[in-house]
Amino acid sequence: MSTNLSRRAFLGSAAVGAAGLAFARPGGAAAAPAKGLRPDLAEDCRNEFLATYHSYLTYAGNHDELHPVSRTGSDFFASGHPVRLTLIESLGTLYLMEADDEFHDGIDFVVNDLSFDIDANFQVFETIIRLEGGLLSAYHASRNPGVLAKARDLADRVLPAFTQSPTGMPWRFVNLHSGAVSGSSNVLAEIGTCVTEFGDLSRLTGDPKYVNAAKAAQQAVFQRRSALDLVGTQIDITTGAWLNSTSTINPPVDSFFEYLWEGFFFLGDRDDLAMFRTLINSFLQRQSITVNKRLWFSSNNKDTGLPTSSNQSELAAFAAGMLGQSGLKQGAEYHDSWADALHEGGYRILPEGLDPATLGATSRGNQLRPEYVDSAFTLWLTNGHRVYVDRAAEYYENQRATCRVADANGNTIGYTILTDVTTRPETQGDLTSAYWCAENMKYYYLIFGRSPRFSYAPDAYLTTEGAVLRGLL
Ligand code: DMJ
C-alpha cells in the first residue's frame, strides 16, 4: 500500500543498464508529508535518543562510546586517544531533532576543543565515514566555517594513505600526527567508501585532490575485476594482487558497491555509474539465488563464478535501499526477504548472520545494526510506500523492547548491542555503538516525524554512516 505523500519516484526517468536492468536518475524535489506519519513514535524516539546522548555526556567522559550497563566509556579508534566519536556522530541527529542546546554545545566542542593532531594509527575507512562524514554533515547544518576547517584538517591528515600508495588504493591505517601509513592488506569496503565525503569536501573547498584520490581508489579496484566482471574481497594495495577471490555483497565489500552508486547519485559522476552498472549487473545475474521463494545473494568465486557460500550478513540488508534507489526491482524484493526472515525466523532483532534456507542464526549477536531500517528509510524516501513505515515502526518497538537499558526507576540509560538475539529475553551486551546515534535513531525519527530541517526529497543524500550531505534545511 502506498501513502498519499505525492512523492515522485525516480523511476520516471529510468535509464536502461547494459544488461537490460533499469537504472534511475536523481529526480527533483517532491512534496513533503503534511505531518508526521507516526508522531507518537517520533516523540518517543527523540526522548530515547536524548536520554542516551545525555548518558554519554554524563558517564563516558571524553571517550568515544558509551557502555550503558557499566556506565563507563571507551575509545573506538585508539585506546587513550579519544575524539568524542559519539558526539560527532550525533550532531546531525541532534540538528534534525531540533535539540539546539546539545547541537550548539557539540559544535562549540568541534570548533574550539577538537584536535586531530593525534600520534596514533587511525583506521582510514572508519575515520572517513564516521568523523569526516559527521563533520561535513555538521557543517551543512551549522554553516560554521570552523567545522569545515576541522573536516579539511582531518582529510589532509588522512590523505597520505592514498597518496603514498603505489596503486591508488589506500593503506588501511594512517598516523594522524606523522602521516605514517600501515596495513597493506585492505578490503574493498575500506578501499572504496570515501568518494561522497571527499567529493563533498572538494566541492566545499574547491580543491579536487580529495575526490580525485577517492576516484583513483575505486578505479584501481575496477581495473582488477575478473573476466566475469566480478571483484574479490581483499587486495594487497602495494602490488594490486588479490588476496581473497570471494565475490560478495556481505562485508567486507558491502559499501564498495554502495559508493559506486552514490558517486553518481550524489556527485553525478558517470564513471561511477558505469562501474556500478558493470559490476552490479554481473553480480545480480550470477549471484542472485531464490531460496524458499525469497531473493538472497550468494558468495561466489570471482574467477570461476562458482558459489562458495549462501550465508547472509545482516549488514548486506543495506543493499535493499541501494538497489531500490537505483531503480532496480530487486531492492524491494530483498527487503521483503529480510522482513520474512524477521517474522518467520522468530526474531525480534535480526541476527548478524543468517542461513537463508532455515532462517537460523549463523551468528547470534546484533551490534545495534541499522541496515534493515536504513534500507526501509531509503526505499520509503524513493517510493513512499507505507510498508516501510510499518516495518520501521515494528523494528523500533522491538529495539526498544530488547536493547534499552534502564535504571532502577525505569529511566532510560541507553541502548546496547545484543550478544544473542535467539534467547528470551534477548541477551544484552554493554555498548552503544556510535553509529546508532548517526543512523538508527535518525532514520526512525525522519520516517515517523516531520522534521522541518529535512527536505524529504528523493534526492536527499545520506552517506553509508547516515551523515546528511544533501537535504538539510
Ligand atoms: C556502519 O558503520 C556503516 O553503515 C558501514 O558502512 C557498515 N555498517 C556499519 C553499521 O553496521
Side-chain angles (χ1 to χ4, degrees), residues 406-448:
D407 66 15
N409 298 316
N411 299 314
T412 299
I413 298 295
Y415 280 64
T416 180
I417 61 170
L418 299 173
T419 57
D420 194 338
V421 300
T422 67
T423 57
R424 289 293 178 275
E426 289 79 351
T427 311
Q428 292 192 336
D430 183 19
L431 175 67
T432 307
S433 310
Y435 52 70
W436 178 85
C437 302
E439 296 201 65
N440 309 48
M441 296 305 265
K442 183 184 289 152
Y443 306 137
Y444 289 133
Y445 186 74
L446 289 176
I447 292 174
F448 302 150

Side-chain angles (χ1 to χ4, degrees), residues 143-196:
R143 291 286 158 184
N144 185 318
V147 178
L148 180 58
K150 284 283 154 61
R152 187 174 197 166
D153 173 63
L154 178 63
D156 288 338
R157 293 176 186 277
V158 168
L159 217 50
F162 295 79
T163 56
Q164 292 182 26
S165 163
T167 61
M169 294 181 281
W171 294 83
R172 196 152 182 249
F173 299 97
V174 63
N175 181 301
L176 293 186
H177 171 71
S178 68
V181 293
S182 56
S184 59
S185 169
N186 209 345
V187 293
L188 293 211
E190 301 195 24
I191 290 168
T193 310
C194 51
V195 77
T196 60

Side-chain angles (χ1 to χ4, degrees), residues 128 191-201 210-216 218 258-264 266-267 269 272 461 469:
I128 293 172
I191 290 168
T193 310
C194 51
V195 77
T196 60
E197 290 87 353
F198 278 2
D200 196 37
L201 185 62
Y210 309 106
V211 73
N212 287 345
K215 278 197 67 174
Q218 290 177 308
E258 181 182 354
Y259 270 41
L260 291 177
W261 162 246
E262 292 174 6
F264 172 68
F266 179 55
L267 302 171
D269 189 309
D272 276 347
Y461 174 60
L469 300 188

Side-chain angles (χ1 to χ4, degrees), residues 125-126 129-130 254-255 315 369-371 435 439 464-465:
F125 161 75
E126 300 287 6
I129 67 169
R130 292 166 178 261
D254 47 356
S255 54
L315 282 91
R369 293 293 181 193
E371 286 77 16
Y435 52 70
E439 296 201 65
T464 192
E465 192 75 359

